[in-house]
Amino acid sequence: MNTNSNTKSNFGKWGWAMIIYCAISYYLAAALSTDSLNYFPAAFTALRGWDESAINLCNLMAGIGGWVGIIAAVVFSAMTVKKGSRFMSIFGNILAGILVLIFALTHSLPVFLAMVLCMTFVGGNIQLNCVPNNIMNVWFPKKKGLALGWASMGLPICTATIILIYTAIGNPQLAYIILAIVCFAFAFVSIFWVKDKPEDVGVTPDNEPIDMDTVKNLAQKSEEAASKLTIKAIAKDRNTWIIGIGHGLLWMTTIGLVSNFVTKLIQVGTEANTAVGMLTVAAVVGIIGSYFWGWLDQKVGTKNASIVYGVWYLVALLVMIFHNGSMAMTVIASIFVGFGIGGIGNLIPSIIGTCFGRFGFIRANQLIAPMNTAVRSLALVIIGAIGVDKLNNAYIVFLICSALAIFLITRIKVREDVM
């Protein structure tokens, strides 16, 4: 089932319930991993009286967690194929809750750092990759782009709010105990909330006005087509490698721009508090961007939307490279960088579903997710190797990589017979 150009958000009661569920899952994924790096390293170092080198170690372990996530992506995707989204949502949130609780309570720096690593790859895989992405493809085979546009708002909303919430709570240990309780509660409600397929509750995919017999027949054909997607068959498909590398390069650019956005603004003369404030502005713009990229995906197709996304970030990189320190340029940079934050989280699961089908997403993801993870993780490696004091040089590398990504994505072959 491929996308069509229907951009009406008429998903029905159960459809909206699943979109809201996925938005919360995306929020937790960001809270468990990258977004919180702006808060907990310094907060817990001060609370526990650790040496300030612990701050750098936290970032290092988060980076390693991203690489460990390559293995985790294979394992968790395989579990999702066998057990389904509902099981993985319960299992994943219980596991996350346990990890966060240990993280909050331990006074041992090695244990703390180990939890940073584990939280990174669990949040990045189960709460982000396996559960919500799979739900969106199974529930909305024709309108997944638009559904993802709404659901993935959870990512920039987290960026805009999570540090404010932690700061308002005050004590980092209490903040993370509360987060652990939220994970456990989310696991409990998942028992009743998550449904693997719309057919399980007597509704149709995309809330289409068709009879259930037709729906069941289409679902059976789609599942039969997906069952033929062995690892060997997926590996032989050119789209696997193009999506894994091409979209991975765009994700790498996103991380490269966002991770040192504040640093770049300060380097060109922006006052520190203003620079931090502009990151919040960028995140808020990203909420609007999430819907836009989902709408564009639905309107022109995921492949074309991905190409536009790549071009958008080429412009964003040029804006950052030629930033002259003026407030006008800072605002423009915040808009261009922020607008893209919510896009890549939509486009990757959508293009996988477009190329491999409703039930083929999670199977193909077993190979594509590790590639995406490996490529995107190069962002901080490139910046680290070139030097934070030479961000423009890193941006030039990202510019070249994004141009390569656009070329690769133009080579994606979208088949009309995908179920």
Tab-separated table of all heavy atoms in Angstrom, residues 269-303:
chain	number	residue	atom	x	y	z
A	269	GLY	N	29.610	35.380	18.184
A	269	GLY	CA	29.386	36.576	18.994
A	269	GLY	C	28.040	36.691	19.675
A	269	GLY	O	27.757	37.705	20.331
A	270	THR	N	27.196	35.665	19.573
A	270	THR	CA	25.897	35.700	20.246
A	270	THR	C	26.087	35.487	21.739
A	270	THR	O	26.871	34.625	22.153
A	270	THR	CB	24.965	34.602	19.686
A	270	THR	OG1	24.901	34.712	18.262
A	270	THR	CG2	23.565	34.716	20.283
A	271	GLU	N	25.385	36.266	22.554
A	271	GLU	CA	25.469	36.113	24.013
A	271	GLU	C	24.935	34.735	24.410
A	271	GLU	O	23.991	34.226	23.808
A	271	GLU	CB	24.632	37.217	24.673
A	271	GLU	CG	24.948	37.439	26.144
A	271	GLU	CD	24.079	36.596	27.046
A	271	GLU	OE1	22.928	36.291	26.643
A	271	GLU	OE2	24.548	36.226	28.143
A	272	ALA	N	25.570	34.103	25.406
A	272	ALA	CA	25.294	32.702	25.739
A	272	ALA	C	23.818	32.440	26.028
A	272	ALA	O	23.232	31.480	25.509
A	272	ALA	CB	26.155	32.264	26.929
A	273	ASN	N	23.188	33.256	26.859
A	273	ASN	CA	21.777	33.047	27.194
A	273	ASN	C	20.882	33.179	25.963
A	273	ASN	O	19.903	32.442	25.798
A	273	ASN	CB	21.326	34.037	28.269
A	273	ASN	CG	21.919	33.722	29.633
A	273	ASN	OD1	22.298	32.573	29.901
A	273	ASN	ND2	22.014	34.720	30.492
A	274	THR	N	21.239	34.101	25.090
A	274	THR	CA	20.474	34.274	23.851
A	274	THR	C	20.619	33.045	22.965
A	274	THR	O	19.649	32.577	22.359
A	274	THR	CB	20.964	35.520	23.083
A	274	THR	OG1	20.816	36.669	23.915
A	274	THR	CG2	20.177	35.713	21.791
A	275	ALA	N	21.848	32.513	22.907
A	275	ALA	CA	22.100	31.319	22.087
A	275	ALA	C	21.275	30.134	22.575
A	275	ALA	O	20.681	29.400	21.774
A	275	ALA	CB	23.595	30.981	22.113
A	276	VAL	N	21.221	29.941	23.897
A	276	VAL	CA	20.422	28.857	24.463
A	276	VAL	C	18.944	29.089	24.164
A	276	VAL	O	18.202	28.154	23.821
A	276	VAL	CB	20.650	28.744	25.988
A	276	VAL	CG1	19.680	27.740	26.601
A	276	VAL	CG2	22.088	28.331	26.281
A	277	GLY	N	18.508	30.341	24.286
A	277	GLY	CA	17.124	30.675	23.978
A	277	GLY	C	16.760	30.388	22.535
A	277	GLY	O	15.655	29.933	22.232
A	278	MET	N	17.711	30.613	21.618
A	278	MET	CA	17.456	30.363	20.206
A	278	MET	C	17.356	28.869	19.905
A	278	MET	O	16.680	28.470	18.957
A	278	MET	CB	18.541	31.011	19.340
A	278	MET	CG	18.581	32.536	19.405
A	278	MET	SD	16.963	33.347	19.198
A	278	MET	CE	16.591	32.967	17.491
A	279	LEU	N	18.015	28.043	20.723
A	279	LEU	CA	17.858	26.596	20.564
A	279	LEU	C	16.422	26.196	20.897
A	279	LEU	O	15.830	25.345	20.224
A	279	LEU	CB	18.837	25.842	21.460
A	279	LEU	CG	18.738	24.307	21.406
A	279	LEU	CD1	19.009	23.793	19.992
A	279	LEU	CD2	19.708	23.664	22.402
A	280	THR	N	15.864	26.833	21.936
A	280	THR	CA	14.459	26.581	22.280
A	280	THR	C	13.550	27.041	21.151
A	280	THR	O	12.580	26.365	20.794
A	280	THR	CB	14.091	27.308	23.588
A	280	THR	OG1	14.958	26.863	24.636
A	280	THR	CG2	12.645	27.018	23.978
A	281	VAL	N	13.874	28.201	20.570
A	281	VAL	CA	13.104	28.705	19.422
A	281	VAL	C	13.162	27.692	18.277
A	281	VAL	O	12.147	27.379	17.641
A	281	VAL	CB	13.647	30.074	18.955
A	281	VAL	CG1	13.012	30.481	17.619
A	281	VAL	CG2	13.377	31.140	20.007
A	282	ALA	N	14.364	27.166	18.022
A	282	ALA	CA	14.536	26.180	16.952
A	282	ALA	C	13.685	24.939	17.214
A	282	ALA	O	13.080	24.375	16.290
A	282	ALA	CB	16.012	25.792	16.824
A	283	ALA	N	13.631	24.518	18.482
A	283	ALA	CA	12.831	23.341	18.826
A	283	ALA	C	11.346	23.594	18.613
A	283	ALA	O	10.615	22.720	18.125
A	283	ALA	CB	13.089	22.946	20.281
A	284	VAL	N	10.884	24.793	18.965
A	284	VAL	CA	9.474	25.143	18.756
A	284	VAL	C	9.155	25.188	17.264
A	284	VAL	O	8.110	24.694	16.814
A	284	VAL	CB	9.142	26.499	19.423
A	284	VAL	CG1	7.729	26.951	19.046
A	284	VAL	CG2	9.278	26.394	20.940
A	285	VAL	N	10.067	25.749	16.481
A	285	VAL	CA	9.902	25.749	15.023
A	285	VAL	C	9.846	24.308	14.511
A	285	VAL	O	9.109	23.992	13.570
A	285	VAL	CB	11.064	26.516	14.342
A	285	VAL	CG1	11.016	26.341	12.828
A	285	VAL	CG2	10.996	27.996	14.695
A	286	GLY	N	10.623	23.425	15.176
A	286	GLY	CA	10.640	22.015	14.792
A	286	GLY	C	9.295	21.328	14.949
A	286	GLY	O	8.986	20.379	14.217
A	287	ILE	N	8.486	21.790	15.893
A	287	ILE	CA	7.138	21.228	16.069
A	287	ILE	C	6.308	21.490	14.821
A	287	ILE	O	5.618	20.593	14.314
A	287	ILE	CB	6.464	21.832	17.320
A	287	ILE	CG1	7.272	21.481	18.580
A	287	ILE	CG2	5.026	21.322	17.450
A	287	ILE	CD1	6.806	22.220	19.820
A	288	ILE	N	6.395	22.714	14.318
A	288	ILE	CA	5.696	23.064	13.076
A	288	ILE	C	6.285	22.263	11.915
A	288	ILE	O	5.567	21.757	11.051
A	288	ILE	CB	5.819	24.572	12.796
A	288	ILE	CG1	5.237	25.372	13.967
A	288	ILE	CG2	5.118	24.948	11.486
A	288	ILE	CD1	5.530	26.862	13.900
A	289	GLY	N	7.622	22.137	11.925
A	289	GLY	CA	8.300	21.391	10.870
A	289	GLY	C	7.873	19.937	10.807
A	289	GLY	O	7.760	19.368	9.712
A	290	SER	N	7.635	19.332	11.969
A	290	SER	CA	7.206	17.930	11.994
A	290	SER	C	5.945	17.737	11.160
A	290	SER	O	5.852	16.808	10.354
A	290	SER	CB	6.948	17.480	13.440
A	290	SER	OG	8.142	17.360	14.163
A	291	TYR	N	4.975	18.624	11.380
A	291	TYR	CA	3.726	18.510	10.608
A	291	TYR	C	3.984	18.794	9.134
A	291	TYR	O	3.466	18.082	8.253
A	291	TYR	CB	2.664	19.477	11.135
A	291	TYR	CG	1.413	19.451	10.280
A	291	TYR	CD1	0.485	18.428	10.425
A	291	TYR	CD2	1.210	20.409	9.283
A	291	TYR	CE1	-0.645	18.369	9.617
A	291	TYR	CE2	0.083	20.357	8.470
A	291	TYR	CZ	-0.840	19.345	8.633
A	291	TYR	OH	-1.941	19.284	7.828
A	292	PHE	N	4.800	19.818	8.852
A	292	PHE	CA	5.040	20.184	7.453
A	292	PHE	C	5.658	19.037	6.671
A	292	PHE	O	5.210	18.726	5.556
A	292	PHE	CB	5.951	21.404	7.360
A	292	PHE	CG	6.404	21.692	5.946
A	292	PHE	CD1	5.562	22.341	5.057
A	292	PHE	CD2	7.654	21.271	5.502
A	292	PHE	CE1	5.966	22.576	3.742
A	292	PHE	CE2	8.062	21.504	4.192
A	292	PHE	CZ	7.212	22.161	3.317
A	293	TRP	N	6.688	18.394	7.232
A	293	TRP	CA	7.349	17.321	6.496
A	293	TRP	C	6.414	16.133	6.319
A	293	TRP	O	6.458	15.446	5.291
A	293	TRP	CB	8.642	16.900	7.204
A	293	TRP	CG	9.668	17.989	7.183
A	293	TRP	CD1	10.140	18.698	8.257
A	293	TRP	CD2	10.334	18.533	6.028
A	293	TRP	NE1	11.041	19.647	7.847
A	293	TRP	CE2	11.193	19.572	6.493
A	293	TRP	CE3	10.294	18.253	4.668
A	293	TRP	CZ2	11.998	20.313	5.632
A	293	TRP	CZ3	11.091	18.992	3.804
A	293	TRP	CH2	11.925	20.005	4.283
A	294	GLY	N	5.548	15.885	7.328
A	294	GLY	CA	4.551	14.833	7.173
A	294	GLY	C	3.539	15.172	6.092
A	294	GLY	O	3.153	14.319	5.275
A	295	TRP	N	3.108	16.440	6.071
A	295	TRP	CA	2.169	16.891	5.046
A	295	TRP	C	2.805	16.789	3.660
A	295	TRP	O	2.172	16.325	2.702
A	295	TRP	CB	1.767	18.349	5.332
A	295	TRP	CG	0.887	18.957	4.279
A	295	TRP	CD1	-0.472	18.901	4.211
A	295	TRP	CD2	1.324	19.698	3.124
A	295	TRP	NE1	-0.926	19.566	3.085
A	295	TRP	CE2	0.165	20.068	2.398
A	295	TRP	CE3	2.581	20.091	2.645
A	295	TRP	CZ2	0.222	20.799	1.221
A	295	TRP	CZ3	2.628	20.813	1.470
A	295	TRP	CH2	1.470	21.160	0.769
A	296	LEU	N	4.062	17.232	3.535
A	296	LEU	CA	4.754	17.187	2.243
A	296	LEU	C	4.942	15.746	1.792
A	296	LEU	O	4.767	15.430	0.605
A	296	LEU	CB	6.110	17.889	2.351
A	296	LEU	CG	6.853	18.094	1.028
A	296	LEU	CD1	6.106	19.076	0.136
A	296	LEU	CD2	8.288	18.584	1.277
A	297	ASP	N	5.297	14.874	2.728
A	297	ASP	CA	5.421	13.446	2.438
A	297	ASP	C	4.127	12.938	1.822
A	297	ASP	O	4.125	12.244	0.792
A	297	ASP	CB	5.733	12.720	3.762
A	297	ASP	CG	5.858	11.212	3.619
A	297	ASP	OD1	5.329	10.643	2.653
A	297	ASP	OD2	6.467	10.599	4.506
A	298	GLN	N	3.009	13.285	2.441
A	298	GLN	CA	1.711	12.827	1.976
A	298	GLN	C	1.360	13.422	0.618
A	298	GLN	O	0.747	12.770	-0.228
A	298	GLN	CB	0.642	13.201	3.000
A	298	GLN	CG	-0.651	12.428	2.864
A	298	GLN	CD	-0.469	10.956	3.186
A	298	GLN	OE1	0.274	10.599	4.088
A	298	GLN	NE2	-1.124	10.104	2.422
A	299	LYS	N	1.755	14.671	0.404
A	299	LYS	CA	1.376	15.401	-0.801
A	299	LYS	C	2.171	14.973	-2.027
A	299	LYS	O	1.603	14.770	-3.117
A	299	LYS	CB	1.565	16.907	-0.570
A	299	LYS	CG	0.919	17.789	-1.624
A	299	LYS	CD	-0.597	17.750	-1.528
A	299	LYS	CE	-1.246	18.687	-2.527
A	299	LYS	NZ	-2.721	18.580	-2.507
A	300	VAL	N	3.486	14.831	-1.871
A	300	VAL	CA	4.343	14.580	-3.043
A	300	VAL	C	5.061	13.241	-2.999
A	300	VAL	O	5.781	12.890	-3.921
A	300	VAL	CB	5.382	15.720	-3.222
A	300	VAL	CG1	4.686	17.063	-3.339
A	300	VAL	CG2	6.396	15.733	-2.080
A	301	GLY	N	4.869	12.481	-1.917
A	301	GLY	CA	5.556	11.200	-1.780
A	301	GLY	C	6.820	11.321	-0.945
A	301	GLY	O	7.469	12.366	-0.918
A	302	THR	N	7.180	10.238	-0.269
A	302	THR	CA	8.299	10.275	0.672
A	302	THR	C	9.632	10.521	-0.013
A	302	THR	O	10.489	11.232	0.503
A	302	THR	CB	8.371	8.955	1.465
A	302	THR	OG1	7.062	8.532	1.812
A	302	THR	CG2	9.190	9.127	2.723
A	303	LYS	N	9.821	9.928	-1.176
A	303	LYS	CA	11.077	10.116	-1.904
A	303	LYS	C	11.292	11.587	-2.242
A	303	LYS	O	12.371	12.148	-1.969
A	303	LYS	CB	11.074	9.267	-3.177
A	303	LYS	CG	12.302	9.465	-4.063
A	303	LYS	CD	12.207	8.599	-5.310
A	303	LYS	CE	13.338	8.887	-6.291
A	303	LYS	NZ	13.262	8.022	-7.494
